Amino acid sequence: HPELIEKIIESNIEAFSPAILNDPLRLKKFVKYQLTACLPPMRKSAGLLPGKIMVLVGSSGCGKTSTCAKLASFYTVTMGKKVVWIEADTIRTSAISESRTYTETLGIPLFLAYTPQELVELLESQSDADLILVDTTSYNPRKEDSLIELASFLTCVPTGSTYLIASATTKEQDLFEAEKSLKQFGLKGLILTKLDETGSFGACFNLLYSCKLPLYFTSAGNQIFGDLKPGIPEQIASAIIEGKFGK
């Protein structure tokens, strides 16, 4: 955001000595701290379940289903939790086959929800699960019927269980449109994906800075084991300065 850039420049010129202003390494360090301070703080522990239900939403190509697999892997393998996967993207046959491949690999149950009512019944029936992951259909924020279809499922899930999946390769305007169209459903947090596929991170930063959603996880890579990391705001600030995301 231009106003944020101007604010940082003015405050640094007024606060720092000429020696610091002419020392690129020290100046980068201070700017990184200032950028980090603009973002929502990091969660206390990624190991703590954010809730019993995590409903993943996002536009086409954001990496939603693979993120669902990475979350399932993290909480099943790393944290030893009992995880259940509900696939609500039943329109695309590829989504069903992909989710089935992931769940068979991880050894966790897979259920298909063809209707909102089926989703409600499945959520109620899995009371003994530690975490229920719901993979929703990808949607187009520019098409009203697409949002209405997604909304029919989201209105059936508990408040505060919906997470926006956003790709770092997406244009800033499209990121903002996705967040704006979905915030009415009470987004709880943000998961950034494909951070290894770009060298420009301003759009991600601006999204976090503007919407104030906490960054729960980041994803950089195609592996379902180990590529999901806790969301650390400082890493986004560093990526802006360095031009690459450090795992």
Side-chain angles (χ1 to χ4, degrees):
H1 287 283
E3 64 270 18
L4 177 59
I5 295 174
E6 185 176 345
K7 178 181 177 181
I8 290 177
I9 291 175
E10 290 181 352
S11 63
N12 288 345
I13 289 177
E14 294 174 359
F16 296 147
S17 66
I20 294 179
L21 292 175
N22 286 291
D23 186 337
L25 292 179
R26 294 179 68 186
L27 192 57
K28 281 184 179 181
K29 184 177 180 181
F30 283 117
V31 171
K32 183 177 72 174
Y33 288 153
Q34 292 166 327
L35 290 174
T36 302
C38 295
L39 301 178
M42 180 182 175
R43 293 175 59 217
K44 293 183 179 179
S45 173
L48 297 175
L49 287 170
K52 185 179 178 65
I53 302 172
M54 292 185 71
V55 181
L56 308 186
V57 296
S59 55
S60 178
C62 67
K64 182 168 48 57
T65 301
S66 61
T67 299
C68 193
K70 293 176 183 181
L71 286 167
S73 169
F74 177 79
Y75 284 110
T76 300
V77 179
T78 306
M79 305 308 301
K81 303 296 184 180
K82 182 177 180 180
V83 178
V84 169
W85 182 318
I86 298 178
E87 184 57 65
D89 185 3
T90 54
I91 297 177
R92 294 185 305 117
T93 55
S94 59
I96 297 176
S97 61
E98 186 178 1
S99 60
R100 182 170 288 117
T101 299
Y102 284 137
T103 52
E104 289 178 353
T105 300
L106 294 168
I108 63 174
L110 171 66
F111 300 94
L112 304 181
Y114 289 92
T115 66
Q117 182 58 36
E118 287 183 347
L119 176 59
V120 172
E121 294 172 356
L122 285 170
L123 291 175
E124 293 176 349
S125 68
Q126 300 303 313
S127 58
D128 60 337
D130 296 318
L131 175 64
I132 302 174
L133 294 170
V134 182
D135 182 28
T136 62
T137 181
S138 299
Y139 85 108
N140 185 340
R142 290 178 171 271
K143 291 186 177 181
E144 185 177 358
D145 57 342
S146 179
L147 182 59
I148 291 175
E149 180 185 354
L150 178 61
S152 66
F153 283 88
L154 295 183
T155 53
C156 297
V157 302
T159 302
S161 61
T162 304
Y163 299 79
L164 176 62
I165 312 300
S167 168
T169 61
T170 305
K171 295 178 181 178
E172 180 173 321
Q173 181 180 349
D174 295 334
L175 288 175
F176 275 82
E177 284 189 4
E179 188 274 334
K180 182 179 179 180
S181 64
L182 293 169
K183 67 180 180 181
Q184 59 184 303
F185 302 106
L187 293 173
K188 186 175 182 179
L190 181 69
I191 299 176
L192 290 176
T193 64
K194 303 185 180 183
L195 286 158
D196 59 321
E197 297 182 18
T198 183
S200 178
F201 303 93
C204 294
F205 181 92
N206 287 342
L207 179 65
L208 287 164
Y209 175 68
S210 298
C211 71
K212 303 303 180 185
L213 286 173
L215 178 61
Y216 272 75
F217 291 98
T218 57
S219 175
N222 298 320
Q223 302 298 319
I224 65 172
F225 300 102
D227 280 344
L228 189 75
K229 302 295 183 182
I232 303 175
E234 184 180 356
Q235 288 187 330
I236 303 300
S238 296
I240 289 180
I241 295 174
E242 303 298 335
K244 63 180 180 179
F245 183 79
K247 294 186 178 182

